[in-house]
Amino acid sequence: QVKLVESGGGSVQAGGSLRLSCTAYGYTSSSHCMGWFRQAPGKEREGVALIYTGGGSTYYASSVSGRFTISQDNAENTVHLQMNSLKLEDTGMYYCVTFSCRGKGDNWHRPTDSGYWAQGTQVTVSS
């Protein structure tokens, strides 16, 4: 049984930093996409940052590029999301996710199965 366990999140003032971590237990694939989606109140869920564990390719939403950095620890099947220069609009529920993906080529980060999702962790950025 696959289980994703998240840590991190919380409240921070604008301009501050937070770090999220997520470990996938029971996921046997060595090459897959892993990362975070987020959902703000009244908005659709959006992909924030993803990494292909088989080669290290990364994807960032344009709204976070240059501020967020995703990294992996393959030995622990864990990914981290370092979030710097946080803005009010970064507020939302952040969901760790892992799924099969192509890993290269156009739209390499698109899921090819339904994947697995964590429960979510709240990130709140205040002024």
Side-chain angles (χ1 to χ4, degrees), residues 46-61:
E46 64 170 343
V48 175
L50 295 166
I51 190 166
Y52 181 59
T53 63
S57 298
T58 56
Y59 161 86
Y60 296 98

Side-chain angles (χ1 to χ4, degrees), residues 13 69 73 77 81 91 94 100 107:
Q13 287 191 320
T69 302
D73 180 350
N77 209 11
L81 184 66
T91 293
Y94 283 66
S100 297
N107 297 316

Side-chain angles (χ1 to χ4, degrees), residues 19-70:
R19 179 179 170 91
L20 304 181
S21 296
C22 178
T23 299
Y25 295 96
Y27 196 81
T28 58
S29 173
S30 60
S31 298
H32 53 276
C33 279
M34 195 165 173
W36 277 269
F37 280 64
R38 70 183 178 189
Q39 188 164 22
K43 294 189 176 181
E44 293 186 355
R45 190 174 293 186
E46 64 170 343
V48 175
L50 295 166
I51 190 166
Y52 181 59
T53 63
S57 298
T58 56
Y59 161 86
Y60 296 98
S62 58
S63 57
V64 307
S65 183
R67 301 187 295 120
F68 290 12
T69 302
I70 190 169

